[in-house]
Amino acid sequence: MTTKRPGEQELALLTWLAEHPAITVGEVADQYGVPRDLARSTVLTMMERLRKKGHLSRRRVQGVFRYTTGAGQDTLLKDAVGAFVSRTLGGSVSPFVAYLSDEAEVTPEQLTELEALVARLQTRARRSS
């Protein structure tokens, strides 16, 4: 089965599910769906769509299906950012960096993390040249 990328709403649900492993549709409907005004049938449809795309697996436990994501939240977010950069920014990260420098409020901790990422990119670029 090939894994298809989740849509925006599916990604939000998938990210939430990554924090709530082995959960039933009913539990997801109550904990995730109710605060977002999503009907149980909508939650079920989204979860089954994610399962068919290869992002969720399910197994029967005491007569009830329990769903689990195949990837952790970090992996899901990294994939989502990659898809955004590819689709929306045409593969260029420059507009995103420009946004960070002009618009975003970056904490000192986030700035330290960004500096570490740039250092990793520089090291990788030196190795490949």
Side-chain angles (χ1 to χ4, degrees), residues 5 79-91 96:
R5 292 182 190 216
D79 289 349
V81 169
F84 172 78
V85 169
S86 178
R87 276 192 310 240
T88 307
L89 303 180
F96 182 71

Side-chain angles (χ1 to χ4, degrees), residues 57-101:
S57 61
R58 71 178 187 190
R59 65 184 181 100
R60 191 178 295 271
V61 178
Q62 298 178 342
V64 178
F65 283 119
R66 296 208 165 263
Y67 291 77
T68 305
T69 62
Q73 187 176 20
D74 289 347
T75 301
L76 292 170
L77 292 177
K78 190 183 288 186
D79 289 349
V81 169
F84 172 78
V85 169
S86 178
R87 276 192 310 240
T88 307
L89 303 180
S92 173
V93 295
S94 296
F96 182 71
V97 174
Y99 164 77
L100 288 176
S101 67

Side-chain angles (χ1 to χ4, degrees), residues 23-30 40 43-44 47-48 64-65 67:
I23 194 165
T24 67
V25 171
E27 292 167 337
V28 176
D30 290 343
R40 184 183 190 285
V43 170
L44 173 61
M47 290 176 71
E48 279 300 304
V64 178
F65 283 119
Y67 291 77

Side-chain angles (χ1 to χ4, degrees), residues 95-108 110-111 114:
F96 182 71
V97 174
Y99 164 77
L100 288 176
S101 67
D102 294 340
E103 303 292 330
E105 300 217 6
V106 179
T107 66
Q110 291 170 326
L111 186 56
L114 288 169

Side-chain angles (χ1 to χ4, degrees), residues 120-129:
R120 275 187 14 211
L121 287 170
Q122 290 172 332
T123 299
R124 192 171 62 186
R126 277 188 228 112
R127 284 186 197 148
S128 65
S129 56

